[in-house]
């Protein structure tokens, strides 16, 4: 078995927690910045809610959370593609695509086991 340095374990753990914090913040920010005075539910509310739920399930290290995060990431990419299709794209959409693409990759089956710096990757590796 290959030994992994403490530095790599620390970087992988920080990446895992930090990325979950980013996803949680993205979901929470939607609700913190939304005006609820109209009393209606929007599709973006369901998107942000599903992001928060799937992030929470992933933090509990349940595989359903990882699968839901991949689904949310795919929806996020499709929403950006839709905005580009409508001609409403801006530079912030590049950041969104990068975050959702990394989410889709990082919570995929190969990265869970083989990529130390992806979320969950560090937990499948032997520790020193």
């Amino acid at each position: 078995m290959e030994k992994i340095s403490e530095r790599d374990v620390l970087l992988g753990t920080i990446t895992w927690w930090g990325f979950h914090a980013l996803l949680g913040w993205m979901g929470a920010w939607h609700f913190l910045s939304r005006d609820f005075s109209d009393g209606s539910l929007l599709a973006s509310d369901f998107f942000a809610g599903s992001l928060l739920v799937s992030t929470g399930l992933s933090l509990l290290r349940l595989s359903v959370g990882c699968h839901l995060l991949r689904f949310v990431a795919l929806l996020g990419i499709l929403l950006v593609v839709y905005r580009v299709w409508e001609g409403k794209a801006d530079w912030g959409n590049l950041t969104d695509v990068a975050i959702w693409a990394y989410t889709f990759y990082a919570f995929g089956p190969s990265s869970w086991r083989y990529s130390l710096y992806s979320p969950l990757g560090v937990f499948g590796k032997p520790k020193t």
Side-chain angles (χ1 to χ4, degrees):
M1 281 193 165
E2 180 184 332
K3 296 242 180 200
I4 297 174
S5 71
E6 288 184 30
R7 177 187 147 274
D8 287 341
V9 171
L10 178 64
L11 287 174
T13 304
I14 289 169
T15 301
W16 189 79
W17 284 104
F19 196 69
H20 278 84
L22 172 68
L23 293 175
W25 176 250
M26 287 171 63
W29 180 251
H30 169 78
F31 292 110
L32 292 173
S33 62
R34 180 157 156 18
D35 181 19
F36 289 100
S37 62
D38 61 1
S40 64
L41 282 175
L42 303 173
S44 59
D45 295 335
F46 290 114
F47 183 78
S50 63
L51 178 61
L52 287 172
V53 167
S54 58
T55 301
L57 290 172
S58 178
L59 280 171
L60 294 173
R61 297 192 190 133
L62 298 174
S63 61
V64 70
C66 296
H67 296 301
L68 286 173
L69 276 174
R70 289 193 79 189
F71 180 71
V72 168
L74 189 59
L75 285 177
I77 291 170
L78 291 174
L79 287 171
V80 171
V81 168
Y82 179 70
R83 287 185 56 82
V84 169
W85 183 267
E86 287 186 324
K88 298 178 183 174
D90 54 25
W91 285 106
N93 293 132
L94 288 176
T95 304
D96 292 343
V97 167
I99 290 169
W100 296 129
Y102 180 76
T103 303
F104 189 79
Y105 166 76
F107 290 95
S110 64
S111 66
W112 291 355
R113 295 176 189 92
Y114 303 115
S115 179
L116 182 65
Y117 296 110
S118 67
L120 297 179
V122 71
F123 296 108
K125 303 287 185 179
K127 299 207 172 47
T128 57

